[in-house]
């Protein structure tokens, strides 16, 4: 794992023991796909990081400076995942931040995930609910115990992901991605204004897929949908084969959407290859 | 700041950049008052840490081993605050923990807070609500952005603390402590089964103060109470003088309770001195 740590913009050997990222989860993160020396969709990730930092009132470093640091880390990497963590830095007495905040940045490179299997993903419904918290909804902050607890619910390697509901039985997302369902010929995805994360891939799909929109979806709506996929900015859309006993056999509509995405960003071809095949006639 | 970091029970130079405490707030903490070389109420803190670790399924280190480490850090310290952080350690791919979890412990010594002012504390009502999450309620986990956001709501140094409500307008706690209100001659404190932390001081008071019990309290119940205090295990009970426009002048009932606590643990005398005076006749 290559790591670069910056405290207040300056390279540091390690993390302070009283970094507020550790103490309170007082920070944000982004996870980017690195392909042929580039961190994909930097602009969208940077915008979301800024939005989150504004909400949490954490000062953001200069973008140019960060872009330099990122480039230096990824320029010779053919395929990897880049994680960027921004925290409010060290110290402060209790929850009140120190008078002068010196943010911490942790950049790290990790192995890229495997391609999505040809058969698609097998999902389960998680028991842990996402709490309603409009003050934190949408942003990608470091308070992720709900997702950790949800992921601890299974260790069957045949299960790829879990879907999470809020306390009012509304479907919100997967543990590590958003979810879309094809209903009446339109791609719908849950709102993330009360909980959940506004994923970068989700935003792209909402903006670029005809008729895609937000909607309130319950478990039944997902299970009776014509097709379902989960997505994040590292893997792109991943077709769902099964949720509990409900199975889907036809990924045609997801292939159409994947081709649209590939036209914009060919780097996702690796993730899609097993299930997308070479069938471009569907586009 | 004296710091001692243990990874899987062995001393380490620093934190791993992919420690799950930083990545997801995947851990717990305890804050103890150190007095004359002792970490006060170790047993109660250890019990709560165990309970939290069981809930999050984080393996706990051997108590003896940890007690040794704590003693070594605090034995020559006359007054300080000891912070103990336990995380699920480094790594794992995404939210799933690694196959073998090697927990991280961070022990750090910090300056003890000042004594509580003679006049008591001035409080405000916070705007940020505590989200309902039974899976995390009661334990002292590292996902504390709600408290951070609440504490960011004011920077008037005349305001000492903020009280937080849940989304159903029930009072839950202060940002960094529990709250008790004297109503009809009985000390009542909010339940923490849906959100909030079961403070070690709160538990002691519930067990040792006659008639003290849990109750559902709204803002009006607090504002019309005969007396109010906030408490945590570092400062003990702290009398509230004011919440917004509501003022209390008489701390007699809180003094009675403080004397009971001092009989058990004289180390709190320092915190109480300014407002408790020498008036032991009230006991």
């Amino acid at each position: 794992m290559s790591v670069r740590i910056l405290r207040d913009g300056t390279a540091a050997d390690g993390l302070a023991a009283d970094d507020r990222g550790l103490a309170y989860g007082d920070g944000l993160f982004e996870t980017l796909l690195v392909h042929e020396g580039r961190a994909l969709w930097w602009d969208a990730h940077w915008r979301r990081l800024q939005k989150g930092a504004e909400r949490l009132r954490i000062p953001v470093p200069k973008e140019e400076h960060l872009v330099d640091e990122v480039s230096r880390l990824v320029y010779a990497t053919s395929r990897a995942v880049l994680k960027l963590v921004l925290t409010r830095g060290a110290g402060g007495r209790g929850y009140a931040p120190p008078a002068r905040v010196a943010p911490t940045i942790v950049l790290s490179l990790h192995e890229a995930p495997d391609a999505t299997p040809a058969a698609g993903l097998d999902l389960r419904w998680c028991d842990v609910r996402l709490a309603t918290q409009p003050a934190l909804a949408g942003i990608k902050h470091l308070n992720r115990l709900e997702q950790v607890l949800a992921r601890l619910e299974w260790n069957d390697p045949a299960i790829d992901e879990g879907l999470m509901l809020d306390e009012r039985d509304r479907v919100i997302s997967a543990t590590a991605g958003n979810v879309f369902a094809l209903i009446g010929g339109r791609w719908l995805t849950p709102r993330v204004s009360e909980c959940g994360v506004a994923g970068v891939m989700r935003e792209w799909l909402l903006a670029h897929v005809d008729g895609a929109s937000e909607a309130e979806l319950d478990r039944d709506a997902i299970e009776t949908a014509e097709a379902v996929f989960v997505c994040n900015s590292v893997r792109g859309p991943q077709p769902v084969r099964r949720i509990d006993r409900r199975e889907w056999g036809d990924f045609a509509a997801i292939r159409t959407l994947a081709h649209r995405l590939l036209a914009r960003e060919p780097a996702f071809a690796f993730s899609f290859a097993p299930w997308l095949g070479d069938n471009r006639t569907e586009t």
Side-chain angles (χ1 to χ4, degrees), chain A residues 27 46 74 121 126 156 162 269:
Chain A
W46 172 249
V74 309
L121 302 189
C126 296
D156 177 355

Side-chain angles (χ1 to χ4, degrees), chain A residues 2 16 25 49-50 81 98 103 121 135 150 152 177 179-180 207 210 222 268 275:
Chain A
S2 301
L49 188 73
Q50 276 185 305
V81 168
L121 302 189
L152 283 170
V179 60
F180 282 75
D210 291 340
I222 296 286
F268 289 106
W275 59 272

Side-chain angles (χ1 to χ4, degrees), chain A residues 1-208:
Chain A
M1 192 177 66
S2 301
V3 178
R4 176 92 171 155
I5 298 173
L6 305 168
R7 291 200 216 161
D8 213 14
T10 306
D13 281 344
L15 287 161
D18 64 342
D19 192 282
R20 296 172 63 95
L22 176 71
Y24 308 129
D26 191 5
L28 301 155
F29 71 112
E30 295 291 333
T31 311
L32 298 86
L33 182 60
V34 175
H35 183 78
E36 307 299 352
R38 264 186 326 129
L40 295 194
W41 294 13
W42 169 263
D43 288 351
H45 286 281
W46 172 249
R47 272 198 306 275
R48 183 174 58 180
L49 188 73
Q50 276 185 305
K51 206 175 285 181
E54 200 171 301
R55 188 96 69 85
L56 301 184
R57 291 159 58 192
I58 298 177
V60 288
K62 283 225 170 77
E63 187 187 357
E64 286 169 26
H65 183 50
L66 207 50
V67 165
D68 281 356
E69 293 286 349
V70 166
S71 304
R72 224 172 295 175
L73 204 62
V74 309
Y75 80 97
T77 302
S78 73
R79 195 169 183 84
V81 168
L82 172 71
K83 185 159 178 176
L84 187 168
V85 176
L86 167 69
T87 83
R88 205 185 306 270
R93 178 151 165 259
Y95 294 119
R100 189 186 160 284
V101 170
T104 301
I105 295 272
V106 182
L107 298 170
S108 55
L109 270 187
H110 307 257
E111 211 177 318
D114 295 337
T116 302
L121 302 189
D122 288 357
L123 271 55
R124 71 188 297 280
W125 292 102
C126 296
D127 296 326
V128 173
R129 300 300 176 105
L130 290 165
T132 296
Q133 179 49 278
L136 297 173
I139 64 174
K140 205 164 164 82
H141 57 71
L142 297 174
N143 279 200
R144 292 293 158 206
L145 273 173
E146 291 175 331
Q147 285 76 11
V148 170
L149 288 181
R151 188 57 190 81
L152 283 170
E153 288 179 15
W154 80 94
N155 48 30
D156 177 355
I159 303 293
D160 301 291
E161 246 291 19
L163 291 181
M164 302 184 72
L165 307 168
D166 71 3
E167 57 206 355
R168 279 181 263 173
D169 296 328
R170 294 177 295 197
V171 178
I172 303 298
S173 66
T175 68
N178 292 109
V179 60
F180 282 75
L182 186 67
I183 296 173
R186 290 180 66 198
W187 284 108
L188 303 177
T189 189
R191 290 190 185 84
V192 291
S193 49
E194 300 195 351
C195 52
V197 176
V200 161
M201 182 57 66
R202 172 186 185 274
E203 300 306 292
W204 190 90
L205 293 167
L206 281 174
H208 294 90

